[in-house]
Amino acid sequence: MKNFSIAIHGGAGTLVKGLMTQELEAQYKKALQIALNKGYDVLKEGGNAVDAVEVAVKSLEDTPLFNAGKGSVFTAEGTHEMDASIMDGNTLNAGAVSLVTGIKNPVSLARDVMDKSYHVFLAGEGAMQFAKQNGYEIETPSYFYDEVRYQQWQGIKDSEDFQLDHSVKKDGKFGTVGAVACDQDGNIAAATSTGGMTNKKWGRVGDSPMIGAGNYANNETCAVSCTGSGEFFIRGVVAYDVSCLMEHKGMSLQEASEEVIHKRVLDIKGDGGLIAVDSKGNIAMPFNTEGMYRASKTSDGTEHIAIYK
């Protein structure tokens, strides 16, 4: 049996130790533990990496603690617009959705785009039509309502400001979620999901649903899920950049991940982090912010759950 492993994240940002209550910190760690275990159990039972990352991300989407699925932030119009992507490192097949509303688990819709359509990326009304054709129930806005998210929005509503979750120190409710995994066959996969930024306008889309920017997987190199200031991660083609450094410069997973996050992203004034895995089961989780909600588990039983540096 080959090594297998999984890593997950719940967003990176200004997570300053001491600003969060012990009770809230415990809630975050419990949510990470549950998602980690769900994905790990798929791998342990011989399941594939794509199933593992989908299951883990769905778990994170189902808690209001993270800015994805149920915990998605409010747009300028007071709605919720969600993005997600998934990629299979074995086949290089991928699926992504953007600007979807009322979808409980956008990562599963991205998976269906990959498995049930000829396309990679569906957005807006077309993505919603695809969801309805595939039997998705459209949740009412009340499902996505969260008081803390609402108050975040009220603070900047009717202004030209927008707010990345991870740029705020108030309540520690941070952004994008994601998972990467390596299964027992050495196949790898990545999935990423987000609710975007508070008070966003004009159908803004970040890096999370963009293959190569916020999400990428290739058995020859690595699987990557990013979190951070999306505009910079798009410009830096961050997820693919890690793969590129491994392929063309012969860097290890750790070396490539750290080069991208601690140098290349910073050089263009971006902040955030990523989780990555290679086909040997190695894991990297670098970030250049105060913290990143993260967890990992490997087949030898090593487990890691952390928030701060």
Side-chain angles (χ1 to χ4, degrees):
M1 185 180 74
K2 280 191 177 180
N3 294 337
F4 60 91
S5 60
I6 185 168
I8 63 173
H9 72 76
T14 316
L15 293 158
V16 181
K17 198 166 177 62
L19 284 181
M20 198 190 308
T21 64
Q22 285 186 320
E23 183 186 22
L24 190 58
E25 189 174 321
Q27 285 178 27
Y28 275 107
K29 287 186 172 177
K30 184 181 177 185
L32 288 168
Q33 181 78 68
I34 290 169
L36 185 70
N37 288 346
K38 285 183 176 178
Y40 184 82
D41 286 347
V42 170
L43 300 172
K44 187 180 176 184
E45 289 160 16
N48 68 59
V50 176
D51 288 342
V53 295
E54 182 187 2
V55 163
V57 169
K58 280 174 72 174
S59 180
L60 296 168
E61 287 175 338
D62 288 343
T63 168
L65 290 170
F66 302 105
N67 177 19
K70 189 173 178 64
S72 294
V73 297
F74 286 83
T75 67
E77 280 75 46
T79 60
H80 305 278
E81 290 180 345
M82 296 167 285
D83 308 329
S85 60
I86 193 165
M87 187 163 183
D88 180 349
N90 183 35
T91 61
L92 299 188
N93 288 338
V97 293
S98 186
L99 306 176
V100 297
T101 56
I103 301 296
K104 183 180 177 185
N105 294 115
V107 71
S108 294
L109 186 58
R111 172 84 186 263
D112 278 339
V113 171
M114 178 172 77
D115 290 344
K116 298 178 181 177
S117 82
Y118 293 106
H119 307 299
V120 171
F121 200 159
L122 301 181
E125 187 51 45
M128 294 304 296
Q129 287 175 15
F130 178 78
K132 288 166 188 170
Q133 279 180 16
N134 282 277
Y136 280 75
E137 282 185 32
I138 308 303
E139 303 288 342
T140 62
S142 62
Y143 172 81
F144 300 94
Y145 182 88
D146 178 78
E147 184 61 27
V148 176
R149 294 292 188 213
Y150 184 73
Q151 293 306 328
Q152 274 182 347
W153 177 49
Q154 292 300 301
I156 56 173
K157 184 183 170 191
D158 300 324
S159 75
E160 290 303 308
D161 294 334
F162 59 84
Q163 187 170 290
L164 279 167
D165 260 11
H166 61 269
S167 63
V168 185
K169 294 187 181 182
K170 289 178 199 157
D171 57 49
K173 282 186 126 182
F174 288 66
T176 310
V177 305
V180 294
C182 171
D183 63 31
Q184 293 184 32
D185 293 320
N187 293 318
I188 58 178
T192 310
S193 180
T194 188
M197 53 168 63
T198 299
N199 207 44
K200 70 169 183 161
K201 300 177 182 178
W202 311 304
R204 178 262 183 189
V205 178
D207 64 305
S208 298
M210 294 190 188
I211 302 304
N215 200 76
Y216 187 71
N218 183 337
N219 276 10
E220 298 300 315
T221 51
C222 58
V224 181
S225 174
C226 299
T227 170
S229 40
E231 275 66 17
F232 297 93
F233 279 62
I234 293 169
R235 291 172 200 158
V237 201
V238 168
Y240 182 69
D241 206 18
V242 178
S243 172
C244 231
L245 289 172
M246 292 177 70
E247 182 178 358
H248 298 296
K249 283 205 166 181
M251 288 187 179
S252 69
L253 180 75
Q254 192 69 40
E255 288 168 344
S257 299
E258 289 186 359
E259 167 75 12
V260 169
I261 291 299
H262 295 306
K263 185 177 187 304
R264 293 159 85 98
V265 169
L266 284 177
D267 283 349
I268 57 171
K269 309 274 192 295
D271 64 343
L274 62 82
I275 54 172
V277 68
D278 64 20
S279 57
K280 295 184 182 72
N282 296 312
I283 288 171
M285 299 191 287
F287 54 96
N288 60 31
T289 51
E290 295 290 328
M292 179 170 78
Y293 293 106
R294 62 200 186 277
S296 64
K297 193 170 183 178
T298 58
S299 48
D300 65 5
T302 305
E303 186 176 289
H304 179 75
I305 297 178
I307 298 174
Y308 309 106
K309 273 183 180 167

